[in-house]
């Protein structure tokens, strides 16, 4: 078809990284008042990467220089650049431009620590667009329509781009995401589809905040405060033992700090709870490998919400611990609520087959979409499952937590 021919030509054209900065995306910096700008260029890009920036309407009074590096796994050719913007005021719209490209981006900086409301969008299992059924086209289009000023944060809980080892698909995906990710903090965690070349593409292309100051490790597990929410993420694709030690310390500190930052939201790729007709992930991986390692910590330190993916559908639990529901009420919820949000779209398509519905499962649905979350104050959070094609809300719930 003509459409297929255009698609093939556009893919071929996108396979080579351009010499102007492209694939621009933001992430929260490891230090307070910092934002990381990441982008790619061709190998012949000259000079050090720099970003000029300033508060909206002020021009670009500040300029930051960055670092350049590369990787060659999968015969990828290009340069990757990271520039850290400093002295960023909270809850302020900034404009910035990457040297070598005549384009202005804008983002709203993190809200002041402990403040509300906090609004963010969340996805999992989102690949590059394609003509496959169940691909991400509608979701990426929907996310592009979101006002970054209203939802300044996008969480992606693993399975990013779906490269199948083809490193140029990273380039395609991050260019498709640029209208979103260059204007919001794009906070990711690792999934199984990033495993090619020992996760090399993922580890080199993202800069997540963490506790060690080592972006390689911090890309796998780490945490950050965003307004009145403490976010913590970990890798279900790596040994959980060292991560459990990190989670113990991190969650203990976050729990002790609830007077300032009341909410704790955890995210990782593979879920603890799922009832898709997927024997290994829902009968072994979640309940026998992941949950025994981390769920006692969720209980001990009162994790409010867990977001995962891996299963290509939507499923939310009642408040649950150890596969037992003490009360189906979300007001107040007495245990963690788990939500699978793996319905963003990818080249494998969505998953429509379910096992028998367990007592802990509240809602299950399969349709392309994303999660929109608003944390109104210290006690009330609302999550909506928004359908990509229509913007309609397929499911929503209000989570109420009593605070001491």
């Amino acid at each position: 078809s003509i459409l297929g021919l255009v698609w093939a030509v556009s893919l071929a054209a996108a396979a080579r990284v351009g010499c102007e900065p492209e694939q621009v995306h933001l992430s929260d910096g490891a230090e307070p008042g910092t934002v990381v700008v990441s982008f790619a260029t061709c190998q012949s890009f000259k000079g050090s990467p720099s970003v000029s920036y300033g508060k909206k309407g002020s021009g670009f009074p500040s300029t930051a220089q960055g670092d350049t590096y590369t990787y060659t796994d999968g015969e990828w050719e290009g340069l990757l650049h990271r520039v850290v913007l400093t002295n960023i005021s909270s809850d302020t719209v900034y404009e910035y431009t990457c040297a070598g490209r005549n384009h202005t981006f804008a983002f709203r900086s993190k809200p002041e620590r402990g403040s509300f409301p906090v609004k963010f969008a969340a996805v999992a299992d989102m690949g590059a667009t394609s003509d496959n059924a169940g691909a991400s086209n509608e979701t990426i289009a929907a996310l592009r329509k979101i006002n970054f000023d209203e939802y300044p944060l996008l969480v992606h809980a693993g399975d990013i781009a779906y490269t199948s080892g083809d490193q140029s698909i990273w380039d395609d995906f991050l260019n498709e995401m640029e209208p979103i990710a260059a204007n919001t903090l794009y906070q990711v965690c690792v999934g199984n589809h990033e495993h090619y070349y020992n996760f090399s593409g993922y580890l080199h292309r993202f800069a997540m905040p963490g506790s060690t100051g080592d972006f390689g490790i911090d890309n796998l597990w780490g945490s950050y405060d965003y307004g009145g929410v403490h976010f913590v993420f970990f890798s279900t694709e790596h040994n959980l033992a060292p991560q459990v030690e990190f989670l113990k310390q991190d969650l203990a500190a976050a729990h002790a700090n609830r007077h300032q930052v009341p909410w704790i939201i955890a995210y990782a790729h593979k879920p603890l709870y799922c009832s898709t007709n997927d024997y290994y992930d829902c009968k072994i991986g979640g309940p026998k490998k992941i949950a025994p390692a981390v769920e006692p910590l969720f209980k001990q330190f009162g994790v409010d919400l867990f977001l995962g993916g891996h299963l290509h559908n939507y499923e939310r639990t009642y408040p649950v611990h150890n596969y037992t529901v003490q009360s189906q009420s979300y007001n107040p919820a007495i245990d963690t609520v788990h939500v699978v949000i793996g319905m963003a779209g990818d080249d494998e398509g969505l998953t429509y087959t379910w096992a028998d519905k367990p007592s802990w499962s509240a809602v299950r649905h399969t349709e392309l979409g994303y999660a929109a979350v608003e944390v109104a104050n210290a006690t009330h959070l609302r999550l909506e499952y928004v359908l990509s094609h229509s913007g309609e809300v397929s499911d929503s719930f209000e989570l109420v937590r009593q605070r001491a």
Side-chain angles (χ1 to χ4, degrees):
S1 69
I2 292 176
L3 187 63
L5 180 62
V6 169
W7 179 250
V9 170
S10 69
L11 274 184
R16 180 170 290 279
V17 179
C19 288
E20 286 190 355
E22 62 173 59
Q23 306 173 43
V24 181
H25 54 283
L26 302 176
S27 56
D28 185 31
E31 298 297 323
T34 63
V35 170
V36 182
V37 183
S38 300
F39 58 92
T41 64
C42 68
Q43 285 184 315
S44 59
F45 180 81
K46 301 296 185 209
S48 68
S50 69
V51 173
S52 297
Y53 63 102
K55 294 178 181 179
K56 185 178 181 180
S58 69
F60 304 106
S62 302
T63 299
Q65 305 292 324
D67 297 317
T68 297
Y69 50 97
T70 191
Y71 73 102
T72 57
D73 299 304
E75 301 182 351
W76 187 73
E77 294 181 6
L79 296 176
L80 296 166
H81 311 275
R82 259 185 210 137
V83 181
V84 180
L85 312 185
T86 58
N87 298 314
I88 298 293
S89 301
S90 60
D91 199 24
T92 301
V93 175
Y94 279 82
E95 295 177 323
Y96 70 99
T97 184
C98 300
R101 180 175 171 188
N102 184 23
H103 186 84
T104 299
F105 299 102
F107 66 93
R108 178 172 286 282
S109 59
K110 283 204 308 186
E112 190 173 340
R113 193 171 187 225
S115 66
F116 295 100
V118 169
K119 298 178 81 170
F120 67 96
V123 295
D125 301 82
M126 188 165 71
T129 60
S130 77
D131 53 6
N132 291 1
S136 64
N137 306 33
E138 289 179 350
T139 304
I140 288 178
L143 291 172
R144 284 182 176 183
K145 294 175 185 173
I146 291 179
N147 180 357
F148 77 85
D149 204 22
E150 187 178 6
Y151 287 90
L153 169 66
L154 173 63
V155 169
H156 190 155
D159 277 10
I160 306 164
Y162 283 75
T163 68
S164 298
D166 180 349
Q167 297 303 293
S168 70
I169 293 178
W170 277 115
D171 304 324
D172 298 337
F173 177 77
L174 288 169
N175 276 323
E176 291 172 350
M177 287 295 290
E178 185 186 83
I180 306 156
N183 300 303
T184 58
L185 296 181
Y186 183 39
Q187 302 296 113
V188 301
C189 73
V190 72
N192 53 292
H193 276 272
E194 288 81 88
H195 78 270
Y196 299 96
Y197 307 106
N198 198 24
F199 300 91
S200 183
Y202 171 86
L203 291 172
H204 283 90
R205 290 170 183 269
F206 295 105
M208 292 301 106
S211 57
T212 67
D214 175 344
F215 277 134
I217 292 293
D218 291 342
N219 274 338
L220 297 179
W221 60 85
S223 67
Y224 52 97
D225 290 335
Y226 188 93
V229 180
H230 181 75
F231 287 94
V232 59
F233 62 95
F234 60 96
S235 171
T236 53
E237 312 314 305
H238 294 79
N239 182 3
L240 286 170
Q243 300 185 73
V244 166
E245 290 308 308
F246 158 74
L247 287 169
K248 278 181 187 173
Q249 295 178 25
D250 186 84
L251 291 174
H255 186 59
N257 192 45
R258 282 195 194 266
H259 62 283
Q260 185 178 14
V261 181
W263 290 88
I264 301 176
I265 297 177
Y267 60 94
H269 181 56
K270 289 174 182 167
L272 287 67
Y273 290 83
C274 60
S275 64
T276 300
N277 189 16
D278 179 329
Y279 182 81
Y280 181 81
D281 288 306
C282 299
K283 298 293 187 183
I284 297 175
K288 296 188 177 177
K289 295 193 172 182
I290 303 169
V294 302
E295 194 177 24
L297 301 177
F298 286 11
K299 179 69 170 179
Q300 181 180 356
F301 300 116
V303 170
D304 300 297
L305 178 68
F306 174 82
L307 300 174
H310 193 55
L311 293 311
H312 296 173
N313 47 39
Y314 172 88
E315 182 168 19
R316 88 167 140 92
T317 71
Y318 294 110
V320 61
H321 174 69
N322 196 24
Y323 298 84
T324 302
V325 175
Q326 293 187 57
S327 168
Q328 292 185 349
S329 175
Y330 295 88
N331 182 11
I334 56 175
D335 283 312
T336 307
V337 175
H338 297 251
V339 188
V340 171
I341 53 168
M343 67 291 183
D346 58 76
D347 60 8
E348 293 181 352
L350 298 175
T351 303
Y352 296 88
T353 57
W354 301 94
D356 290 341
K357 192 173 185 180
S359 60
W360 46 258
S361 180
V363 175
R364 311 188 296 187
H365 189 65
T366 304
E367 202 167 351
L368 288 171
Y370 62 92
V373 183
E374 179 171 7
V375 189
N377 51 44
T379 55
H380 288 67
L381 173 154
R382 181 177 180 83
L383 183 148
E384 295 182 342
Y385 166 18
V386 182
L387 299 182
S388 299
H389 70 93
S390 65
E392 294 175 15
V393 176
S394 173
D395 180 49
S396 66
F397 69 99
E398 186 168 73
L399 177 60
V400 179
R401 293 286 266 182
Q402 290 181 333
R403 307 295 182 196

